[in-house]
Amino acid sequence: MRRFFILPLLLLLTSLLVAPPALTARQSARRTAKNPTRSITAVEAETPPTIDGRLDDSIWQAADWQENFSQFKPDPGGVPRAATRVAVAYDNEHIYVAFRCFNPTGPSANSTITARDGNMDQDNAVTLYLDTYYTRRDCYYFSTNSLGTQVDGRIGQDGAANDKKWDCPWTVASREDSAGWSCEMKIPVSEMRIPSGEGRVWGINFRRNYPEFFETSFWQHRDVAWRISQSGDLLGLPAFDKLFSATLYPYVVGLDSDPPSAGRRTLLSSGGRELVGGADLRLKLGNSVDGNITYNPDFATVEADLTIINLTRYETFFPEKRLYFLEGAELFSHPIRLFYSRRIGDIDWGLKTNGRLGKFNYAVLAADERTTGDDPAAHTEAFRLQRDIFGSSNIGFTAVSRTWNGGYARVLSSDATLNFSPRTRMRGQLVGSFPSGGGEATGAGMVELTHDTGLRSYTLSYRNLEPGFMDNVNRVGFIQDDNRHDLSARAGGEIWINRGILDKLNYNQNNNVVWGYDGALRRVQVGGWVGVTFLGNLMVGFSKNYETELFEKRLRNSTRLVEGGWNQQSWNNVGLLHVWGRNFDRDFHRTRLRGAFKPLDNLSLSAGVTRLRFSPDTTGQGTDLYNLSADYNFTPDLWLRLTSQYNSNNNRLYFYGLFGWRFSPPFGALYVAYTADRFEMLSSELNRITGRRDRALFIKLTVPLSIY
């Protein structure tokens, strides 16, 4: 290894066990006199409230109702124009939360988001944050709007990691009236990791969005929207005790595809028709530990990755869509991505456990994958251990190993996130990679300092990746390049003007210098963007970017951008963008028009057109992309989705249709999907274009069975 990484890795791993005790919850929650820690008391519900959004149950008459939210934006610390009241109750198995929301611009909430886990930042919506262990670092969150749409997830590292794919079977109902709207939430305690013992205080916060005024407000004031360390106290809760439980999720999938799929373990198979079965066993091992055992898990991706225009020479990152990898995924979120689950193919069996033990968060994953095509059978293991220090800060250790016949790839990493204040954070990571076959061990490292005031953010970072690091790690991770020292400085934010026709000014600045281990200057990039919002819902923006990059020769790529948009803060919006400049010794122009509309309360439409042209275009890379999608929600758990895309470059026409019914949300569901993909490709003789058509009909049924 060119740099001595092993010793720092071992030292930081040792510090996990000998680090000084974390500050007490009260010490970590110190506030200035301007923003003292607020508290709200949960009252016991002897009779559970009816979850209908009406707030007429007797428990809400006796509840500790609180209001006086504080603006996060546009006027930090100001009194919100959209007033909100909240209350909390509990019984032996659930937390109940009530919101009363007032609409200053009229009775209609104008909510538009109907898809589960949609973007509530664009809606008249509320969010509950629960820090069950009072770590001031990790929490669960639950969001809804006046339509009763559900969004849930987990936040880690005091806002540095956000796992929106986490789901649990909670209940919500909303109701509009002449003054605004109200909602009730019912959250099962068994789905969250909770501490044992009497008199426990949980961290809590509440959020309200009001897009008509660009307004976001919190019950406990926050400088940064996801900063969990800036939360209040939830008092009055009993000692919840979670017992052992086990739930089996068997599934069957029927697939009719042309051409036939490959590598899938089937119950029945004939030509392109297959019947696939498997199961997940989810275990609740007490208050704070979960487990999962899976056999032949359903990793069929019924929605293909749509074409993405990539004007760089680096690999495109696609997010994970398979459910098995999503539980605890936030713990594996690193600046240097050493675990990329999409490297893992079809799996015979898998074992996972994750949870919290004292001041430690942990996750362990193991999976055996079978031979698929040219990829040999392999065994993958991933281990993550993270320890709280100094209140909301943490240090951690990660190990990932993938072994196949005749080889292996192993990666070790240590990391730290230090929150010096609610606004200032430093992150660091050291990585060592160890290939098989006598390959040379290589290393990488990074450090990043961020100052974030909520409306403005400044970041200075440095990372280095030794030559050969990318090839070593990409068996298990996602690394786009190596042989580089990388120094970056970024700034961005928004300035609220609110004078005349002007509303706000947004800006960002990004500067980057990269040089290789041989001292050669590989990349210099200087760029910035500025946008102005005016008349409430109109936006114009402009950017200029200069970049020089060394590949087979030094290339100078400079671009300019102009854009305009209507109603960008809401679902119903239109945007037009044009980018032009130099790209690898070619001139290019790229134009994109997109829009999203809700012609009916339950119907959402979105469309986009992108036109890309090069001059000269000797390899025929110019293209036109057309996207169209429609979502119709009969209820939040019963919907129909249609998506299509056409790519003129390879004459690809892709169609995707999905009918979904979550009869026992979030996991008990019936899905019926159909995909059709037609495109052209170069034949094996490399002298003519041939057409290809793929289609698939996919039916999946999952029925949860409580077995203990």
Side-chain angles (χ1 to χ4, degrees):
M1 187 179 292
R2 295 176 177 84
R3 295 290 182 270
F4 197 60
F5 276 89
I6 299 300
L7 182 58
L9 285 168
L10 294 177
L11 289 175
L12 193 50
L13 174 60
T14 303
S15 70
L16 286 168
L17 304 176
V18 302
L23 300 180
T24 66
R26 294 298 180 184
Q27 289 173 319
S28 67
R30 286 195 300 264
R31 297 287 187 270
T32 64
K34 182 179 179 181
N35 296 306
T37 302
R38 300 185 66 176
S39 63
I40 186 170
T41 301
V43 295
E44 184 177 6
E46 296 181 0
T47 301
T50 301
I51 306 302
D52 56 13
R54 294 180 177 275
L55 309 187
D56 54 2
D57 301 274
S58 59
I59 185 60
W60 300 129
Q61 311 309 313
D64 177 18
W65 283 95
Q66 297 209 7
E67 48 191 357
N68 298 326
F69 279 45
S70 172
Q71 277 197 49
F72 166 67
K73 65 177 183 180
D75 179 21
V79 177
R81 290 191 281 177
T84 309
R85 303 181 70 221
V86 293
V88 183
Y90 70 90
D91 61 21
N92 290 334
E93 298 179 348
H94 299 92
I95 299 292
Y96 302 95
V97 179
F99 285 86
R100 184 69 178 100
C101 305
F102 298 94
N103 297 334
T105 56
S108 175
N110 295 321
S111 296
T112 57
I113 304 301
T114 55
R116 181 163 183 145
D117 290 336
N119 184 5
M120 286 295 180
D121 290 341
Q122 297 179 330
D123 233 356
N124 189 337
V126 294
T127 302
L128 163 71
Y129 302 87
L130 287 177
D131 176 7
T132 56
Y133 268 86
Y134 208 90
T135 62
R136 292 314 203 219
R137 191 178 58 82
D138 307 318
C139 83
Y140 301 88
Y141 65 88
F142 306 86
S143 301
T144 194
N145 56 14
S146 66
L147 302 176
T149 304
Q150 291 175 295
V151 175
D152 48 14
R154 287 193 300 218
I155 300 172
Q157 301 181 44
D158 201 15
N162 182 3
D163 177 16
K164 203 173 185 178
K165 296 297 184 180
W166 179 84
D167 287 313
C168 90
W170 59 292
T171 305
V172 66
S174 300
R175 179 177 178 271
E176 294 192 37
D177 55 40
S178 60
W181 61 286
S182 56
C183 73
E184 292 172 293
M185 297 179 176
K186 177 183 177 181
I187 301 167
V189 174
S190 61
E191 295 296 319
M192 300 182 290
R193 300 170 192 158
I194 59 174
S196 302
E198 297 280 352
R200 290 285 188 169
V201 177
W202 290 10
I204 194 169
N205 211 343
F206 310 92
R207 171 174 170 166
R208 171 81 187 281
N209 294 337
Y210 199 72
E212 284 83 351
F213 293 156
F214 302 95
E215 187 175 272
T216 298
S217 59
F218 287 91
W219 170 74
Q220 174 71 58
H221 179 77
R222 280 184 178 171
D223 295 317
V224 181
W226 298 104
R227 193 55 49 84
I228 307 308
S229 54
Q230 293 182 304
S231 299
D233 295 348
L234 175 59
L235 311 176
L237 294 177
F240 294 109
D241 287 320
K242 291 169 55 180
L243 303 177
F244 172 83
S245 67
T247 305
L248 184 67
Y249 295 89
Y251 77 89
V252 290
V253 171
L255 182 67
D256 184 1
S257 63
D258 180 21
S261 62
R264 193 185 306 275
R265 186 178 295 280
T266 62
L267 301 175
L268 296 173
S269 178
S270 177
R273 297 179 179 178
E274 298 176 341
L275 184 65
V276 182
D280 281 271
L281 179 63
R282 295 169 59 91
L283 306 172
K284 301 292 182 182
L285 307 175
N287 280 30
S288 61
V289 175
D290 299 329
N292 185 296
I293 302 172
T294 187
Y295 171 73
N296 196 30
D298 170 34
F299 285 175
T301 302
V302 298
E303 181 177 3
D305 297 311
L306 296 178
T307 299
I308 295 176
I309 292 178
N310 183 355
L311 296 180
T312 74
R313 296 191 179 183
Y314 303 115
E315 180 183 3
T316 300
F317 179 86
F318 289 99
E320 180 60 75
K321 298 179 180 180
R322 302 173 296 182
L323 295 178
Y324 176 73
F325 289 106
L326 298 178
E327 179 74 22
E330 77 281 359
L331 285 175
F332 289 101
S333 176
H334 296 94
I336 300 175
R337 295 190 181 105
L338 55 99
F339 179 59
Y340 182 38
S341 57
R342 287 187 70 140
R343 303 288 186 207
I344 302 175
D346 290 309
I347 292 179
D348 278 328
W349 65 266
L351 173 67
K352 286 178 57 178
T353 179
N354 56 81
R356 184 174 179 87
L357 299 173
K359 299 184 182 301
F360 291 88
N361 289 320
Y362 81 92
V364 180
L365 178 151
D368 265 1
E369 53 187 305
R370 52 188 170 269
T371 301
T372 305
D374 295 331
D375 296 327
H379 177 75
T380 300
E381 297 172 340
F383 170 75
R384 172 68 169 159
L385 185 64
Q386 187 182 72
R387 190 191 195 280
D388 300 346
I389 60 170
F390 309 133
S392 63
S393 301
N394 64 79
I395 52 179
F397 174 77
T398 304
V400 183
S401 173
R402 192 175 188 195
T403 305
W404 59 93
N405 187 22
Y408 62 81
R410 292 168 184 165
V411 185
L412 297 177
S413 171
S414 60
D415 61 273
T417 300
L418 304 176
N419 294 306
F420 300 117
S421 75
R423 297 184 174 187
T424 305
R425 165 188 293 147
M426 186 175 72
R427 302 177 69 186
Q429 183 181 3
L430 294 172
V431 184
S433 65
F434 309 92
S436 60
E440 184 177 1
T442 57
M446 62 80 59
V447 62
E448 177 182 88
L449 181 65
T450 299
H451 182 71
D452 193 337
T453 67
L455 297 183
R456 297 174 182 83
S457 177
Y458 310 92
T459 300
L460 181 65
S461 66
Y462 167 77
R463 68 177 61 196
N464 71 290
L465 297 93
E466 292 184 346
F469 181 78
M470 180 176 67
D471 290 338
N472 289 354
V473 173
N474 272 354
R475 283 280 189 171
V476 294
F478 182 86
I479 305 298
Q480 292 180 305
D481 196 14
D482 58 15
N483 184 24
R484 59 193 289 144
H485 298 273
D486 189 324
L487 181 63
S488 295
R490 302 184 298 274
E494 56 188 29
I495 301 172
W496 288 89
I497 302 171
N498 290 327
R499 293 182 181 177
I501 65 172
L502 299 179
D503 297 306
K504 64 173 179 174
L505 175 73
N506 291 79
Y507 66 93
N508 64 62
Q509 174 75 30
N510 187 22
N511 306 305
N512 177 238
V513 179
V514 178
W515 62 98
Y517 271 69
D518 59 359
L521 185 64
R522 293 190 53 192
R523 182 174 187 256
V524 176
Q525 187 247 330
V526 179
W529 174 88
V530 62
V532 178
T533 301
F534 58 98
L535 294 177
N537 53 20
L538 296 176
M539 186 275 292
V540 294
F542 174 79
S543 77
K544 186 173 182 180
N545 182 78
Y546 170 79
E547 180 179 342
T548 176
E549 196 158 9
L550 179 63
F551 287 99
E552 66 278 0
K553 66 177 184 177
R554 185 164 300 282
L555 299 167
R556 289 175 171 81
N557 302 326
S558 59
T559 61
R560 296 183 182 182
L561 174 150
V562 292
E563 63 179 321
W566 168 79
N567 213 32
Q568 298 296 294
Q569 77 276 16
S570 176
W571 169 264
N572 294 297
N573 66 82
V574 176
L576 176 64
L577 174 147
H578 182 68
V579 186
W580 72 99
R582 294 285 290 175
N583 178 260
F584 297 101
D585 278 347
R586 303 172 297 177
D587 293 326
F588 82 97
H589 288 263
R590 178 165 64 96
T591 304
R592 185 191 69 192
L593 174 66
R594 58 170 178 77
F597 309 93
K598 283 185 68 70
L600 302 174
D601 288 343
N602 292 341
L603 177 62
S604 303
L605 302 175
S606 62
V609 179
T610 301
R611 179 181 176 88
L612 176 65
R613 294 292 182 269
F614 294 99
S615 178
D617 191 4
T618 57
T619 57
Q621 290 183 302
T623 187
D624 295 323
L625 282 179
Y626 301 88
N627 296 286
L628 178 65
S629 65
D631 288 83
Y632 190 87
N633 287 75
F634 304 95
T635 72
D637 292 308
L638 183 68
W639 75 96
L640 178 66
R641 177 176 303 152
L642 303 174
T643 300
S644 64
Q645 183 185 71
Y646 175 72
N647 184 345
S648 67
N649 183 267
N650 59 358
N651 199 27
R652 182 195 185 199
L653 179 61
Y654 170 73
F655 173 81
Y656 161 72
L658 173 67
F659 170 80
W661 176 30
R662 283 188 290 256
F663 52 83
S664 180
F667 304 115
L670 171 67
Y671 296 103
V672 180
Y674 177 77
T675 65
D677 204 356
R678 184 208 71 194
F679 55 96
E680 296 176 345
M681 59 184 180
L682 203 60
S683 71
S684 57
E685 292 83 11
L686 299 180
N687 58 9
R688 64 187 180 90
I689 300 294
T690 62
R692 175 171 170 173
R693 296 174 182 269
D694 293 345
R695 63 172 182 82
L697 176 65
F698 174 98
I699 302 174
K700 177 184 177 182
L701 175 65
T702 303
V703 180
L705 302 173
S706 179
I707 61 176
Y708 188 86

